Amino acid sequence: KEQNIKTYNYKPYYNSLKNVDYDYILLAYTDKQTCDEVAKKLVELDIKEEKIVKPYCISWEERMFRTTYQDFLSLNKPFEGLVFGMSYSRFAFLPHLFEKSFFKFSLGGVDLFTQRQWLKNLITKHKNILKSLKYIVIDLPYYIFNWDISHSGQIYYRMLYFDEFNDYRDFGKTEIGQKYIKNYRILKDMVGKNYEGNSSSFADNSMFVERVFREPKDKIVFEPSKIWTKMHPETIKDNIEIFKEFIDLIKNFNPDIKIAAVIYPYTKGFLEYNKEHINKLKKEFYNVIIKTCPDISIYDFINDSKYKFENSYFKDPTHFNTKGAEYFSKILNDEFEGSFY
C-alpha cells in the first residue's frame, strides 16, 4: 500500500544502513520524485550519495543498455537499406513487409544528433558492412529540427544513445548530468548484460501492440507536447547543421544512395486539434528540407489525403498498433516500388 513518503518511522532499518556492508543501495521506485525524496532522506542519515542508485531512468518498455546500432554491428551482414528514426518508424516500419532488405535503427525519441552519430561511426569504422547500401529512409516529423533529447526530460531514460559514444552534449557538462551518467553506468554494470526490456529481432525492433485507440470524449487527449508549440531557435539552428552533415555523410560515402524522408500519419482527431501548430511547423520543415537536400524523396502521409487511417490502426493519437503498422508498411512499400527503388 502507498505510504506517506514524508514519514519514515515505519522503516526503522534506514537508521542502521550506515553500519551495513554493501556496494550500493538500489531504490526500487519507478518515478523520479519518489526516488529523489528517498535519496535525500538517506543522505540526511549520513549515507554517501554515491552509494545510492536510482533506477527510475529505466523505462520498462524501452531499450536501456543495448541500442539497435549494436545489434547491427553484431549481425555484421549487408542490407540494401537503412531506416533511421524515432518511435513513429519504430512501430510503423516493418522491414519484413518490404521488397528490399532493410535494417531499422529506429528507437523512441531519437534525435538528429544520435542518428548522425550512428551513421558517422558506421561510415568511418564499418564501411565493409555498408557495401550493399542503396537506400536510406529517415523518419522526420515536422518538429524534428526543434527536438534535442539532451535538453529534455527524456534524457534520463534514453541515456544509452549518448553513452554509446561517451558524448552527452551539454547535459554531460553539468553537475547534475554527471551524477546521472555515473548512476546510469552503475546500473549498466549491474544488470546491462542480463536485462533488455525489448524483445526484438534484428530488423523489426518494435513490440507487438494490440491496443486500439478509441475516440475520446475529452479532446485534451490530443493536447500536443511542448515540442510542437514552443520553438527553440538555437536547437533549430544546431539541428539544421546536423541534418546537413547527415546528408553530406551519405553523399560523400556514395552519391548514388537514394534518400527518402517519411512523415508518418496521425489520427484524424490529433491532426484537427493541432492544425495550427502542424501547419506552422510544416512550412518551416519544408523550407529546410528543400534547401538542404532538394533531391530527397518525401513521403508525407499527413499532407497526402489519398490514404485513410482509422483509429483502429493506432495505439494512441500518434503511433500505430501492429494492425496499423502492417497496413501502413504495405502502403509504403508500394509507394517505394513506384518512385523510390
Side-chain angles (χ1 to χ4, degrees):
K1 294 182 179 180
E2 290 294 325
Q3 301 271 7
N4 183 348
I5 189 171
K6 295 180 181 179
T7 304
Y8 288 85
N9 294 332
Y10 65 94
K11 294 183 177 178
Y13 58 86
Y14 274 31
N15 292 304
S16 62
L17 279 173
K18 56 188 175 183
N19 300 318
V20 177
D21 185 26
Y22 55 85
D23 294 311
Y24 300 103
I25 297 174
L26 188 68
L27 304 186
Y29 298 95
T30 57
D31 66 284
K32 183 178 185 299
Q33 182 179 351
T34 305
C35 264
D36 288 345
E37 290 181 6
V38 173
K40 181 179 179 181
K41 181 63 179 179
L42 291 175
V43 170
E44 290 174 0
L45 295 172
D46 295 326
I47 291 172
K48 294 180 180 180
E49 187 175 7
E50 59 266 27
K51 292 283 190 177
I52 303 169
V53 181
K54 307 171 184 178
Y56 63 78
C57 68
I58 292 181
S59 174
W60 300 104
E61 293 186 355
E62 297 283 349
R63 284 168 170 255
M64 285 310 305
F65 305 111
R66 179 183 175 88
T67 66
T68 44
Y69 175 85
Q70 293 167 318
D71 288 351
F72 184 77
L73 296 183
S74 297
L75 281 170
N76 193 30
K77 61 176 287 187
F79 287 83
E80 294 173 280
L82 302 179
V83 181
F84 293 92
M86 313 172 78
S87 55
Y88 307 115
S89 51
R90 177 187 178 220
F91 285 101
F93 193 106
L94 302 181
H96 64 279
L97 295 179
F98 285 77
E99 179 186 331
K100 307 297 182 180
S101 62
F102 281 98
F103 180 90
K104 183 173 63 176
F105 287 90
S106 308
L107 289 172
V110 170
D111 57 12
L112 287 171
F113 174 82
T114 302
Q115 295 176 51
R116 183 198 61 184
Q117 290 286 80
W118 287 343
L119 183 62
K120 183 179 180 180
N121 276 270
L122 286 174
I123 290 174
T124 304
K125 301 177 181 179
H126 306 283
K127 286 184 179 180
N128 60 308
I129 313 179
L130 306 179
K131 59 186 177 183
S132 300
L133 187 60
K134 298 177 182 177
Y135 313 101
I136 288 184
V137 179
I138 322 169
D139 168 2
L140 295 179
Y142 291 155
Y143 63 74
I144 189 65
F145 299 107
N146 197 39
W147 175 235
D148 177 350
I149 312 174
S150 68
H151 288 168
S152 77
Q154 290 195 28
I155 181 67
Y156 297 112
Y157 56 95
R158 303 199 192 281
M159 297 180 77
L160 74 165
Y161 303 165
F162 301 92
D163 203 64
E164 194 146 48
F165 304 109
N166 193 28
D167 187 348
Y168 282 84
R169 309 187 76 182
D170 290 341
F171 180 78
K173 300 173 185 177
T174 64
E175 182 179 353
I176 190 170
Q178 291 168 6
K179 287 183 179 179
Y180 281 110
I181 292 168
K182 184 177 181 180
N183 181 85
Y184 172 79
R185 288 175 175 169
I186 291 171
L187 281 170
K188 188 175 183 178
D189 287 341
M190 280 184 174
V191 299
K193 292 182 180 179
N194 299 316
Y195 167 78
E196 182 51 76
N198 211 33
S199 58
S200 61
S201 61
F202 67 87
D204 184 8
N205 64 312
S206 65
M207 296 172 290
F208 182 77
V209 180
E210 291 184 301
R211 186 165 71 247
V212 174
F213 177 71
R214 308 293 182 186
E215 192 69 25
K217 294 180 180 179
D218 189 348
K219 299 299 180 182
I220 196 68
V221 171
F222 298 123
E223 190 72 26
S225 63
K226 290 182 180 179
I227 197 66
W228 287 92
T229 60
K230 185 178 180 181
M231 298 299 102
H232 303 279
E234 286 302 311
T235 297
I236 293 172
K237 181 180 177 182
D238 290 346
N239 274 331
I240 289 174
E241 291 305 311
I242 290 171
F243 184 67
K244 288 179 180 177
E245 292 173 18
F246 184 91
I247 298 299
D248 286 343
L249 282 168
I250 300 170
K251 296 295 186 182
N252 292 334
F253 174 68
N254 182 352
D256 294 326
I257 291 176
K258 296 181 179 180
I259 307 171
V262 179
I263 297 91
Y264 288 80
Y266 306 135
T267 58
K268 182 180 179 181
F270 183 87
L271 293 173
E272 291 177 347
Y273 189 89
N274 298 289
K275 186 176 181 179
E276 182 180 347
H277 299 308
I278 290 171
N279 286 338
K280 181 181 178 181
L281 285 168
K282 173 185 170 183
K283 182 179 179 181
E284 296 172 354
F285 170 85
Y286 272 97
N287 285 338
V288 174
I289 294 294
I290 292 171
K291 290 179 182 177
T292 306
C293 189
D295 58 344
I296 193 171
S297 298
I298 300 177
Y299 298 87
D300 188 341
F301 289 90
I302 292 178
N303 199 41
D304 190 340
S305 60
K306 69 180 177 180
Y307 297 109
K308 303 298 180 183
F309 300 98
E310 305 297 332
N311 282 351
S312 61
Y313 290 134
F314 292 85
K315 74 181 188 72
D316 60 40
T318 58
H319 297 89
F320 280 124
N321 54 29
T322 301
K323 175 185 174 183
E326 291 174 347
Y327 176 68
F328 176 80
S329 290
K330 291 174 183 177
I331 288 174
L332 186 58
N333 181 62
D334 288 344
E335 290 286 336
F336 281 0
E337 286 185 335
S339 57
F340 184 52
Y341 294 148

